[in-house]
Amino acid sequence: ISGDGTILNDTTGNFVWSHDNAGTGTDSLAIATGSTFQNDGTFSFTDLGNRQFTGDGQFTNNGTFINGITNNSGDNITWNGAGQFVNNGVLRFDDNGDFQLEGGVGFTNASAGIIQVSSSDSDPAQFFSFTNTTGSATFDNQGTVRVLSGYFRVSADGTNGTQFEDMTLVQDGGSGELSGGTWIADSTATGTARIDLDNFGTTSGITTIGPSAVVELTGSGATFDQLSSLATVHGGLYVNGTQDFTPPGFLNVGSTGTIGGDGSFASTTTVSGSVLPGTTRGDDIGILGFGANLSFNPVSSVTLGIMAPTGTVNGSLDSMAMATAILGLGDLDPTTSMHDALNINGTVTLNSTMS
């Protein structure tokens, strides 16, 4: 594809990239400078064989982009060149296929974009570079990475050996901060959902969830490798179902931070921000558990929802008024989804200026 302009696969289009050589070698699609391939419909490949984009142009996905190859011997998609892949739609890994980025290419999962992994394989669906050169490629998640089963990884800095190196992760804010993006691991369907951001380290490295970052873990089999060192939440951290999140020490929730869900936190927790019990990031009723002491600092808040049509207890209530409102729930039962609740196995410290 060359020249200035756009080739469009429209909303009703179904573009299937079949391999020319029965899975042998690599099929290539060149997108030159000034050219854009725009997918508003479905763009997919399922038959054995690696695919490769080349050139300095752009691929824009506004629809659904599917790597459905299930044979590990030929499931890579590569971009080799200084081009750009921009995902505004849904990019699906239906198995453990890889996205290899070389030559200065940038991959941007834009704010409306979703990268979804559904795999039964223990081998990761991953973004990686073979090149032992800093800046060989950039991965930028401004949207959502959602792992419904299997294993998602961004490989970088040689932490997985010389084969997978030097992928720049924009959301590595330095000093252990996950600076942005929404990262969801949900093990409900298969019992396993794993996220691994190698830039921070092999098994730890994230100490802070930044103000623009959200992490959501659902089920006991949902893991985010580098959160084993987490100490501070300035963004969002939600735990659901049987997820019992266990940081290495105390957990501090900053003034811009929110923790919530209907799972549990195992360690002593201090809140200067918000607590939002209930599934769907507080939109639905649920009980949020704490396995140790819970303290609320000045101007912190807890929002408790009540099943309609009763209403909602929240807003600017002082701690005494909130306690009175909760007692006023009477016979409503949190275990039957009548209202939100906190289940605390420790000492609760409230503050007169909390809401």
Side-chain angles (χ1 to χ4, degrees):
I1 302 172
S2 60
D4 294 332
T6 299
I7 291 180
L8 173 66
N9 182 40
D10 70 15
T11 55
T12 61
N14 184 16
F15 189 104
V16 178
W17 188 354
S18 297
H19 201 281
D20 287 338
N21 301 306
T24 302
T26 299
D27 272 7
S28 293
L29 174 62
I31 305 177
T33 302
S35 298
T36 298
F37 190 111
Q38 180 174 315
N39 175 51
D40 291 351
T42 300
F43 187 103
S44 65
F45 40 95
T46 58
D47 57 321
L48 173 65
N50 298 325
R51 274 74 164 179
Q52 177 176 248
F53 294 104
T54 62
D56 300 342
Q58 180 167 312
F59 189 106
T60 301
N61 178 49
N62 299 322
T64 303
F65 184 100
I66 305 170
N67 183 343
I69 302 171
T70 59
N71 190 320
N72 293 349
S73 63
D75 61 356
N76 281 13
I77 182 167
T78 301
W79 194 309
N80 196 337
Q84 295 290 320
F85 191 108
V86 179
N87 181 46
N88 299 305
V90 178
L91 186 147
R92 283 174 26 195
F93 291 98
D94 287 353
D95 199 60
N96 64 330
D98 298 330
F99 208 128
Q100 180 181 346
L101 304 177
E102 309 285 356
V105 63
F107 182 99
T108 301
N109 189 41
S111 58
I114 297 172
I115 298 172
Q116 179 172 296
V117 178
S118 301
S119 172
S120 59
D121 202 305
S122 60
D123 193 47
Q126 65 181 339
F127 286 81
F128 75 96
S129 173
F130 275 130
T131 307
N132 186 13
T133 304
T134 300
S136 61
T138 299
F139 179 86
D140 182 4
N141 176 33
Q142 303 170 13
T144 299
V145 169
R146 181 170 63 199
V147 184
L148 300 179
S149 59
Y151 177 11
F152 173 83
R153 181 168 72 192
V154 177
S155 296
D157 298 329
T159 52
N160 283 292
T162 58
Q163 187 178 22
F164 305 121
E165 299 195 62
D166 297 311
M167 175 82 65
T168 299
L169 174 64
V170 172
Q171 282 67 42
D172 181 356
S175 303
E177 181 185 71
L178 179 66
S179 64
T182 297
W183 311 85
I184 298 172
D186 185 346
S187 65
T188 303
T190 64
T192 302
R194 177 182 174 189
I195 296 173
D196 179 4
L197 301 183
D198 247 357
N199 294 69
F200 292 96
T202 52
T203 59
S204 64
I206 295 176
T207 58
T208 303
I209 295 176
S212 299
V214 174
V215 175
E216 185 172 352
L217 304 174
T218 299
S220 59
T223 58
F224 192 146
D225 290 7
Q226 288 72 26
L227 288 186
S228 62
S229 50
L230 186 68
T232 304
V233 178
H234 291 307
L237 176 59
Y238 300 89
V239 295
N240 299 307
T242 55
Q243 174 68 213
D244 184 27
F245 185 77
T246 307
F250 294 168
L251 183 65
N252 295 296
V253 182
S255 60
T256 60
T258 300
I259 58 173
D262 69 344
S264 57
F265 293 91
S267 66
T268 294
T269 303
T270 300
V271 179
S272 298
S274 303
V275 176
L276 191 60
T279 58
T280 324
R281 301 181 199 171
D283 288 345
D284 294 319
I285 300 300
I287 301 172
L288 182 61
F290 292 87
N293 297 341
L294 174 63
S295 298
F296 290 93
N297 285 337
V299 301
S300 59
S301 67
V302 57
T303 300
L304 299 173
I306 305 173
M307 184 177 64
T310 311
T312 302
V313 176
N314 57 30
S316 56
L317 297 179
D318 62 33
S319 56
M320 186 62 69
M322 180 169 289
T324 300
I326 294 171
L327 289 174
L329 295 175
D331 292 333
L332 291 181
D333 185 355
T335 64
T336 56
S337 300
M338 291 184 174
H339 64 82
D340 286 332
L342 303 179
N343 183 12
I344 304 157
N345 186 22
T347 300
V348 183
T349 303
L350 303 177
N351 190 284
S352 62
T353 63
M354 66 178 291
S355 61

